[in-house]
């Protein structure tokens, strides 16, 4: 599987592809919104037409490495909101949160060739 990273695109948290086919996977955002004026876009995430999570909202862009998608997940708590890095297994849809809530997650990747 290829590695998809920010260096190969001009995507930002405000402008990114809403549908991409990468090898055997179709990764798609639906119902995109701004959670406040000028904020990054967030929406429901679908992988091969299967919704990921129930009420979770995700931002972009994402990184794809092997069978894992790394993506900003929008989190709203009582006194704060923001993004947490989420690792999603493309084969099972299982999610794992990594780190703490940040106001913005802008993913990039080091080229280790």
């Amino acid at each position: 599987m290829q590695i998809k990273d920010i260096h190969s695109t001009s995507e930002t948290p405000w402008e990114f592809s809403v549908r991409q086919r990468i090898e055997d996977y179709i990764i798609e955002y639906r119902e995109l919104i701004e959670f406040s004026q000028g904020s990054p876009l967030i929406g429901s995430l679908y992988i091969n037409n299967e919704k990921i999570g129930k009420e979770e909202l995700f931002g972009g862009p994402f990184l794809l490495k092997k069978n894992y998608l790394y993506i900003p997940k929008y989190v709203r708590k009582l006194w704060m909101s923001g993004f947490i890095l989420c690792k999603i297994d493309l084969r099972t849809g299982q999610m794992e949160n990594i780190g703490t809530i940040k106001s913005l997650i802008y993913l990039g990747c080091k080229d280790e060739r």
Side-chain angles (χ1 to χ4, degrees), residues 21-71:
R21 181 177 184 91
I22 302 173
E23 303 218 3
D24 294 335
Y25 300 102
I26 297 172
I27 300 164
E28 181 177 17
Y29 296 89
R30 296 184 189 167
E31 300 110 26
L32 285 172
I33 60 167
E34 290 181 330
F35 57 89
S36 65
Q37 186 174 355
S39 69
L41 296 173
I42 56 174
S44 299
L45 180 68
Y46 289 77
I47 298 173
N48 292 340
N49 221 27
E50 297 283 331
K51 187 173 183 179
I52 302 300
K54 293 180 182 177
E55 302 295 321
E56 283 83 2
L57 296 171
F58 298 89
F62 60 80
L63 295 178
L64 181 64
K65 185 169 184 181
K66 299 195 182 192
N67 290 309
Y68 295 97
L69 184 74
Y70 296 86
I71 189 167

Side-chain angles (χ1 to χ4, degrees), residues 47-101:
I47 298 173
N48 292 340
N49 221 27
E50 297 283 331
K51 187 173 183 179
I52 302 300
K54 293 180 182 177
E55 302 295 321
E56 283 83 2
L57 296 171
F58 298 89
F62 60 80
L63 295 178
L64 181 64
K65 185 169 184 181
K66 299 195 182 192
N67 290 309
Y68 295 97
L69 184 74
Y70 296 86
I71 189 167
K73 181 170 89 170
Y74 181 68
V75 177
R76 185 176 12 195
K77 293 196 174 193
L78 186 61
W79 298 107
M80 70 168 45
S81 65
F83 294 91
I84 192 162
L85 184 60
C86 185
K87 177 182 176 183
I88 301 172
D89 187 323
L90 292 172
R91 299 161 294 185
T92 65
Q94 185 174 1
M95 293 182 282
E96 175 187 346
N97 292 335
I98 302 170
T100 59
I101 297 173

Side-chain angles (χ1 to χ4, degrees), residues 3-9 11 13 60-65 70 72 85 105-112:
I3 296 175
K4 186 241 180 226
D5 68 57
I6 197 78
H7 297 295
S8 62
T9 70
E11 295 184 340
F62 60 80
L63 295 178
L64 181 64
K65 185 169 184 181
Y70 296 86
L85 184 60
I105 295 177
Y106 201 147
L107 294 176
C109 185
K110 283 200 280 187
D111 187 356
E112 296 181 1

